[in-house]
Each structure stands twice: as structure tokens, then as C-alpha cells.
Amino acid sequence: MAILNEEQEMLRDMARDWATNESPVTAFRKYRADKPAEGFQPDVWQTMAQMGWTGIVIPEEHGGSDFGWMSAGLVIEELGKTLTASPIVASTVAASAIVLGGSDEQKAKWLPKLASGEVVGTLAVDEGAHHGGKTEASVSGGKLSGTKAFVHEAHGASLFVVSAADGLYLVEKGDGVSLSDRKLTDQRSHANVTFDGAAADKLANGGDDLLDKVLDRARILTAAEMLGMAQQVFDVTLDYLKQRVQFNQVLASFQALQHRMADLFADLAMMRSAVESGLEALDSGFGVPHAACVAKAEANRVLHIISREGIQLHGGIGMTDEYDVGFYLKRARVLEASWGSTTYLKNRFAALAGY
């Protein structure tokens, strides 16, 4: 487990208290019932902005706190525990793209708005069902055309960071931008976004590997959310086994079930180590591509197992809407496919290592 300083411990505890008391899973149920057009509850988003969470990785000169990636990961992990429906991961990644590749003018224009929560940003990269395909979107005369699939938080976003054949571009929602809903099992905001001659402003200062750098950040932050989800499923399942009685014994007294929970505990420890190493790599700037592959691949593996076992150990009743644990499995399957499947990430790690 990562060693946190006093400020990080306070931030984590504040996020944990807020998520537990103000945004429990019942809030996700309300979001699901209300179906807000933005894909999140605007008042909740503003509360998060007022607490400074939307500007954690943004430099102070542009309105953020520059508190680092480990700090951002701590907040996102806690929000993942309660399935809080917010665009914080998408908007943080979009902000990082501008920090890495934006001009002084682009930073001055967008970063303060992203830090304050006034603007929600998101990443539009994939063009098909699988991550890592060829990029067909192109720019001519400052106008971007192409279609991006499975764009997270697209409904509430007003700024898209879009990959094109020759780099990353900023595109504002408006003329030339249209959305087509994608209904996924997690019931969050996803859409195909079509750009038809939309005005585009290139992020020209990030180098040829800017997209890879941004995707590494997306992978690690997504893994942090998955870590929170895995921890919560483990805790909820353990509590259930300690109180559920069959054959006049609590389930937790059966040795076979104890072995299964012990295996999950070990997997969870491995996942935490990988995710926290990814966050530390981002803060140090050392070994980020490798750490991002390991963090997301391990998050994919462990959350897949824990979400499945959580259902199994609840005896199938976990899939009913009455129990929260089924929501985690549905969100898990969406995140597992985001920014690279386990197979894609293993191949990328091998290529990075020169195998």
C-alpha cells in the first residue's frame, strides 16, 4: 500500500466520507431512475468541483491544485466504491491532454474552466468495437471529420479531445458535432460521436506520442476506479458471508468459502500494488507506459474475478436488482473493455519491452 502524506490522507478521508454519506449506491439508483440528460447529476458535479476534485492534476497557475496523480487516484477510488456517476475521470484525462500538449493560449482558455467544473471534457479516440485500431478521422483546413465510438461521458461534455490521423485536437460541442446514444450495461453516459467538419484546434506541443501519454493516464485513472469497485465488492461479499446462515451455520464458517475469499484478498492486494504503482509512476514521470499496462491489465483481471465471485458467493441473488453487487459486475465489464483489453495491454507491454 502506498505511503501517503498527511494532506493525501485528509483528501482520501474526505472523499470517503462524502461518497459514503452523500453519494451511496442509492444515489446511483436515483441517477438511473432520473436519467439526467447530462449523464450525471449537475448538482453533484458542482459539489465535487467546489471541493477541488476537478482540478487536482491542473497546475495552480490555471486554477487547479496540482496535487498530483496519486491524490486524484485516491478520490476516484473512493467514488468507485459507491459507483458515483460523474465525469471526473474523463474530464481529468482531457485536462491532462491540454497540460501535456496545449499551447499557452489553449491552457489559459480551457484549464481554468475544467478546474472549476464549468466545462466537462472527455476523450474521443476509438473508432470501432476494439481499442487500438487505425485512426480514420482527419482534419482539413481546421475542420475535423470522422466518427468516434463509445465515447465516455459524451452527453455532458462540452469539450472533446479527439484523435485524428496527424495528432490530437480540441473540438467544442456545437456545429458539426452530433451524438448517437450507446446503451451499455452499466447505464452510464456513452455515445458514438460524429464530427462533420467541426472546428478543431490542434494540441501541437505534446510530441508524436501525445496520444499514448494521454491513454496511459486514462488507463491508470480507470484502474483506480476499478480498484475502488473491487474493494467494495470484496467487503460487501465478506459481510454477507458473515451473516448469511445455512444448515444452522454462517457461510463464513465453511472452509471452502474461506479459501475462496483468501484468494480474492490476495488478488486484491496485487491489484492495489499495480494501480498505486501506476499513480506513482505518473507523479514521478518514470516508467509510465509500462506501469499503465500493468495497472490496467491487473485491474481487468482482478475486478473480473472479484465481480464474478461476488455474484457466485451471494448465491445468484446478487444478480437481482435488490442487491447492489450486480451493478459492480455490469460497470466492470464496460471498464474492462475501455482503453485496451487485457490481451491488447499484454501485447503493448511486450512491444514496449522489446519482446
Side-chain angles (χ1 to χ4, degrees), residues 47-187:
T47 299
M48 295 168 66
Q50 290 167 6
M51 291 189 286
W53 299 349
T54 51
I56 291 179
V57 303
I58 295 175
E60 292 182 43
E61 63 187 286
H62 295 297
S65 61
D66 202 10
F67 205 5
W69 290 93
M70 177 61 74
S71 302
L74 294 171
V75 171
I76 289 167
E77 179 187 345
E78 296 304 324
L79 298 178
K81 289 180 180 178
T82 59
L83 297 174
T84 298
S86 87
I88 190 168
V89 173
S91 205
T92 300
V93 172
S96 75
I98 299 173
V99 172
L100 290 169
S103 63
D104 289 342
E105 182 181 349
Q106 289 169 326
K107 292 177 182 178
K109 179 179 180 181
W110 291 111
L111 291 180
K113 295 179 180 177
L114 289 164
S116 68
E118 177 185 348
V119 165
V120 171
T122 192
L123 195 59
V125 173
D126 294 322
E127 298 187 355
H130 301 286
H131 176 73
K134 185 178 179 182
T135 299
E136 299 287 349
S138 60
V139 178
S140 176
K143 305 291 185 181
L144 189 147
S145 296
T147 298
K148 298 296 180 180
F150 303 102
V151 177
H152 299 269
E153 313 298 343
H155 296 88
S158 50
L159 179 67
F160 296 90
V161 178
V162 188
S163 63
D166 63 338
L168 283 181
Y169 288 81
L170 298 178
V171 179
E172 295 183 56
K173 182 179 284 183
D175 293 341
V177 180
S178 60
L179 273 61
S180 175
D181 291 353
R182 297 301 300 256
K183 303 292 186 185
L184 301 186
T185 188
D186 63 349
Q187 304 192 51

Side-chain angles (χ1 to χ4, degrees), residues 52-344:
W53 299 349
T54 51
I56 291 179
V57 303
I58 295 175
E60 292 182 43
E61 63 187 286
H62 295 297
S65 61
D66 202 10
F67 205 5
W69 290 93
M70 177 61 74
S71 302
L74 294 171
V75 171
I76 289 167
E77 179 187 345
E78 296 304 324
L79 298 178
K81 289 180 180 178
T82 59
L83 297 174
T84 298
S86 87
I88 190 168
V89 173
S91 205
T92 300
V93 172
S96 75
I98 299 173
V99 172
L100 290 169
S103 63
D104 289 342
E105 182 181 349
Q106 289 169 326
K107 292 177 182 178
K109 179 179 180 181
W110 291 111
L111 291 180
K113 295 179 180 177
L114 289 164
S116 68
E118 177 185 348
V119 165
V120 171
T122 192
L123 195 59
V125 173
D126 294 322
E127 298 187 355
H130 301 286
H131 176 73
K134 185 178 179 182
T135 299
E136 299 287 349
S138 60
V139 178
S140 176
K143 305 291 185 181
L144 189 147
S145 296
T147 298
K148 298 296 180 180
F150 303 102
V151 177
H152 299 269
E153 313 298 343
H155 296 88
S158 50
L159 179 67
F160 296 90
V161 178
V162 188
S163 63
D166 63 338
L168 283 181
Y169 288 81
L170 298 178
V171 179
E172 295 183 56
K173 182 179 284 183
D175 293 341
V177 180
S178 60
L179 273 61
S180 175
D181 291 353
R182 297 301 300 256
K183 303 292 186 185
L184 301 186
T185 188
D186 63 349
Q187 304 192 51
R188 294 281 296 275
S189 168
H190 306 281
N192 283 5
V193 182
T194 299
F195 302 94
D196 184 10
D201 189 13
K202 188 173 185 178
L203 295 173
N205 294 339
D208 294 338
D209 60 346
L210 176 60
L211 175 58
D212 287 331
K213 292 176 182 175
V214 175
L215 286 172
D216 286 338
R217 283 150 178 78
R219 291 172 183 129
I220 293 171
L221 279 195
T222 301
E225 179 182 349
M226 298 169 79
L227 175 61
M229 294 167 59
Q231 182 68 61
Q232 184 68 11
V233 173
F234 179 87
D235 292 343
V236 167
T237 302
L238 185 60
D239 288 344
Y240 179 79
L241 295 180
K242 287 180 177 179
Q243 60 177 305
R244 174 68 171 167
V245 176
Q246 285 190 338
F247 310 112
N248 296 319
Q249 294 187 65
V250 294
L251 290 179
S253 66
F254 292 106
Q255 193 174 45
L257 300 185
Q258 293 174 359
H259 288 171
R260 290 169 70 172
M261 291 304 295
D263 286 344
L264 295 182
F265 182 83
D267 280 335
L268 188 56
M270 292 287 289
M271 179 183 182
R272 179 171 295 282
S273 177
V275 174
E276 291 181 346
S277 293
L279 294 166
E280 289 175 338
L282 284 175
D283 282 332
S284 67
F286 178 76
V288 174
H290 296 78
C293 288
V294 173
K296 183 59 165 49
E298 189 66 0
N300 286 354
R301 182 186 74 84
V302 175
L303 183 57
H304 189 94
I305 294 172
I306 287 185
S307 59
R308 183 190 65 203
E309 286 288 279
I311 297 294
Q312 293 290 326
L313 290 167
H314 274 77
I317 198 171
M319 280 305 294
T320 64
D321 199 68
E322 181 181 0
Y323 281 74
D324 294 340
V325 67
F327 297 153
Y328 291 83
L329 182 141
K330 294 170 184 173
R331 177 67 172 165
R333 296 301 175 266
V334 173
L335 294 182
E336 287 170 29
S338 300
W339 318 126
S341 64
T342 301
T343 300
Y344 173 88

